[in-house]
Amino acid sequence: EESYDEECDYLFKAVLIGDSAVGKSNLLSRFTRDEFRLDSKPTIGVDFAYRNVCVGGKTIKAQIWDTAGQERFRAITSSYYRGALGALLIYDITRRQTFQNIKKWLSELRGFSSPDTVVVLVGNKSDLGQSREVEEDEGKSLAELEGLYFLETSALQNQNVEEAFLSMIERIH
Ligand code: GTP
Ligand code: MG
């Protein structure tokens, strides 16, 4: 652990936000440990994980914070966002309500974080196309309107998970 720190050139903090059960914790475990659980429990308080990423010859240690989507389990909001340079704003393509709540999450994020925080909008569970309630174009349009990057992912099938995290990390400078 210590020697890792000496080898890393930058330490970046990023946060995951979105409604409960959209897949924040599974996206994080897929990205940092290549693990996925169908029976994962709701997050209580705050969790975090690291992954070292090489960008432009520099080693970036990405420290990614994950919190509860459920209000009653959330930790103090301001400390969660403090110092975050990147954010993945996540909804579930099979639950329209989680997409409608993106505006609420975005305003909370903008209220607590710096204006140059890199934000990527993520429509997760793309493997469940037959239960889709949010079209890919709707995600794309919202992202364009709000000036965000956009991707659909599947933590289950490991589709676009690397791309989502890396598109955020690579744009943090
Ligand atoms: P909170 O901690 O309560 O905020 O939820 P969360 O956003 O961390 O969701 P979590 O990662 O715990 O996932 C919720 C459920 O969705 C679990 O049953 C996961 O297995 C499932 N899930 C997560 N990602 C995917 C995905 O890409 N596809 C499918 N089919 N299921 C997924
Ligand atoms: Mg969670």
Side-chain angles (χ1 to χ4, degrees):
E1 188 65 39
E2 272 319 300
S3 63
Y4 248 142
D5 284 332
E6 283 159 25
E7 285 163 20
C8 112
D9 298 301
Y10 301 104
L11 175 70
F12 287 167
K13 174 182 173 179
V15 294
L16 304 182
I17 48 177
D19 282 4
S20 185
V22 297
K24 298 179 296 296
S25 299
N26 276 281
L27 284 165
L28 182 59
S29 65
R30 178 63 85 186
F31 180 65
T32 57
R33 305 191 299 275
D34 199 17
E35 283 176 20
F36 178 85
R37 296 181 64 95
L38 264 177
D39 62 345
S40 64
K41 300 228 158 50
T43 304
I44 296 175
V46 175
D47 189 14
F48 56 85
Y50 292 98
R51 186 170 141 189
N52 280 22
V53 176
C54 193
V55 178
K58 304 278 185 199
T59 303
I60 294 168
K61 183 170 191 161
Q63 180 193 58
I64 301 153
W65 294 45
D66 176 26
T67 191
Q70 288 185 51
E71 193 73 45
R72 65 196 170 120
F73 291 149
R74 298 195 78 203
I76 305 157
T77 309
S78 59
S79 60
Y80 185 68
Y81 289 105
R82 187 173 304 125
L85 300 179
L88 293 189
L89 192 55
I90 303 157
Y91 65 93
D92 174 348
I93 67 151
T94 71
R95 285 185 296 142
R96 183 143 205 103
Q97 187 62 52
T98 68
F99 181 67
Q100 282 159 348
N101 287 340
I102 285 293
K103 284 203 153 89
K104 181 197 75 148
W105 290 110
L106 190 57
S107 80
E108 181 176 288
L109 172 70
R110 287 186 168 147
F112 283 109
S113 66
S114 122
D116 33 59
T117 299
V118 176
V119 186
V120 178
L121 180 66
V122 173
N124 190 40
K125 309 196 187 182
S126 61
D127 56 284
L128 297 177
Q130 74 284 11
S131 315
R132 181 186 281 278
E133 290 185 359
V134 183
E135 293 306 318
E136 188 165 11
D137 279 347
E138 296 179 86
K140 226 176 258 176
S141 302
L142 178 63
E144 271 168 31
L145 186 72
E146 298 289 350
L148 317 173
Y149 303 98
F150 172 70
L151 281 166
E152 284 195 351
T153 58
S154 169
L156 183 151
Q157 292 183 335
N158 200 8
Q159 289 281 326
N160 268 348
V161 177
E162 287 280 308
E163 288 79 355
F165 282 94
L166 294 180
S167 68
M168 169 182 72
I169 293 164
E170 285 168 358
R171 288 181 173 100
I172 298 174
H173 282 299

